[in-house]
Amino acid sequence: MSVAMREFVARVWPVAILIVAMCSIQTGASIAKTLFPVIGATGTTSIRLILAALILLIVMRPWRQRFSRRAWKSTVIYGVALGVMNLLFYQALQTVPLGIAVALEFTGPLTVAMLSSRRWLDLLWVAFAVLGLVFLLLLGDDRNGPIDPYGAACALGAGVCWALYILFGQKAGSVNGAQSATLGITIAAVVIAPVGLIDVGPAIFAPEVLPLALAVAVLSTALPYTLEMVALPRLPTQTFGTLMSLEPAIGALSGLLFLSQLLSGLQWLAIGLIIVASIGTTLTVRRRDTFETPVPD
């Protein structure tokens, strides 16, 4: 393989990994919502994280690898942020359509991308993002009505956690690679599982729940977060944020295909404005703003 081809593959394969991860997450979210009538959002979050942690612990066997101590702080914060992000996002899905919830949650990585640059042109992208949020949050719609305030707040809170996930996930992944996802998801399960057990009880382990919960655990957690942890250290922060800009559109399409959630033209426009803001931020960023991957110990 020529040098040029190797460089091309090195640039493209992390992008392909992220696209697969995004499609997997949104498909899993659609399946997860079908569990809400049975075990609620907290129960679904808990069983998802428990099963995902077990899967990754069995497959990855992280105890066989020596971990750098300097990565533990980042890994713990990454894991807690991941768990709270999932809990808040599922709370939002109870009252907010999937595509809109993802768009609101996406303000987290969008903010990371914007703060990574220092150009006046970024004010234009901020304006696009704000306009999109105004359309989603403040303007009603004849078809779907106004967005539920509690659900919107949960989605925005999940966005804050998503920003922390990106920042500390990069630090953890640059040292311990894909094993950081195993540790992070395990930490998330330890933090969030008690919430579901207290709220729902042993019903989260009911035989009729486990098959769907296992599918959600694989599609929404074990597979995509492992793929993202492989890709994160190999991508600039801004590039990651821009690639993730596809997430609201993928979420809206998943909601349409799996949950029959129809969005209005205004809501599609709002999602489009948020996507444009993210893409614009990355296309105008300077090369020197890219994330440099530390060398593992």
Side-chain angles (χ1 to χ4, degrees):
M1 184 183 294
S2 67
V3 174
M5 180 59 68
R6 284 198 298 268
E7 291 179 350
F8 175 77
V9 171
R11 289 195 303 269
V12 168
W13 77 265
V15 174
I17 284 175
L18 279 181
I19 292 175
V20 172
M22 286 186 286
C23 292
S24 180
I25 286 176
Q26 298 311 319
T27 301
S30 298
I31 297 174
K33 190 161 184 177
T34 64
L35 288 173
F36 288 179
V38 183
I39 56 174
T42 55
T44 303
T45 308
S46 298
I47 190 62
R48 164 189 168 178
L49 291 173
I50 290 171
L51 291 177
L54 290 174
I55 292 169
L56 289 178
L57 287 171
I58 293 171
V59 173
M60 302 297 290
R61 292 179 287 181
W63 54 85
R64 299 180 62 182
Q65 179 176 327
R66 181 176 176 272
F67 292 92
S68 169
R69 289 185 177 181
R70 69 185 177 91
W72 273 108
K73 180 180 178 180
S74 296
T75 302
V76 170
I77 297 175
Y78 158 72
V80 173
L82 190 156
V84 177
M85 176 181 70
N86 280 283
L87 181 60
L88 289 175
F89 182 68
Y90 277 8
Q91 290 289 333
L93 285 187
Q94 293 184 108
T95 57
V96 176
L98 178 58
I100 294 176
V102 176
L104 295 175
E105 184 190 30
F106 186 70
T107 55
L110 176 58
T111 300
V112 171
M114 288 180 173
L115 293 180
S116 298
S117 184
R118 300 290 187 273
R119 304 184 69 176
W120 284 103
L121 186 57
D122 289 327
L123 293 177
L124 174 63
W125 312 128
V126 171
F128 274 110
V130 171
L131 187 59
L133 290 175
V134 168
F135 283 168
L136 286 178
L137 297 177
L138 301 183
L139 299 183
D141 177 69
D142 293 337
R143 177 185 298 168
N144 300 310
I147 298 300
D148 175 63
Y150 174 75
C154 287
L156 291 171
V160 174
C161 294
W162 195 353
L164 295 174
Y165 162 83
I166 293 172
L167 296 173
F168 289 95
Q170 281 184 325
K171 295 178 181 179
S174 65
V175 178
N176 292 320
Q179 292 287 9
S180 296
T182 304
L183 294 175
I185 292 170
T186 302
I187 292 169
V190 170
V191 172
I192 299 300
V195 178
L197 289 171
I198 292 172
D199 187 34
V200 182
I204 66 173
F205 300 109
E208 63 271 18
V209 168
L210 289 178
L212 282 178
L214 182 61
V216 173
V218 173
L219 291 172
S220 289
T221 305
L223 176 62
Y225 289 166
T226 300
L227 294 177
E228 287 184 6
M229 189 53 63
V230 172
L232 265 170
R234 294 166 174 81
L235 290 171
T237 301
Q238 300 90 336
T239 301
F240 180 83
T242 296
L243 290 172
M244 297 300 285
S245 69
L246 295 174
E247 193 104 43
I250 294 173
L253 291 174
S254 295
L256 176 63
L257 292 174
F258 297 109
L259 302 173
S260 300
Q261 293 179 338
L262 298 176
L263 301 183
S264 69
L266 185 62
Q267 290 168 334
W268 277 107
L269 174 61
I271 291 173
L273 287 171
I274 293 173
I275 292 173
V276 168
S278 178
I279 293 175
T281 298
T282 298
L283 292 179
T284 57
V285 78
R286 298 185 181 91
R287 287 183 178 272
R288 63 184 177 84
D289 291 327
T290 57
F291 173 81
E292 299 295 335
T293 304
V295 178
D297 287 340

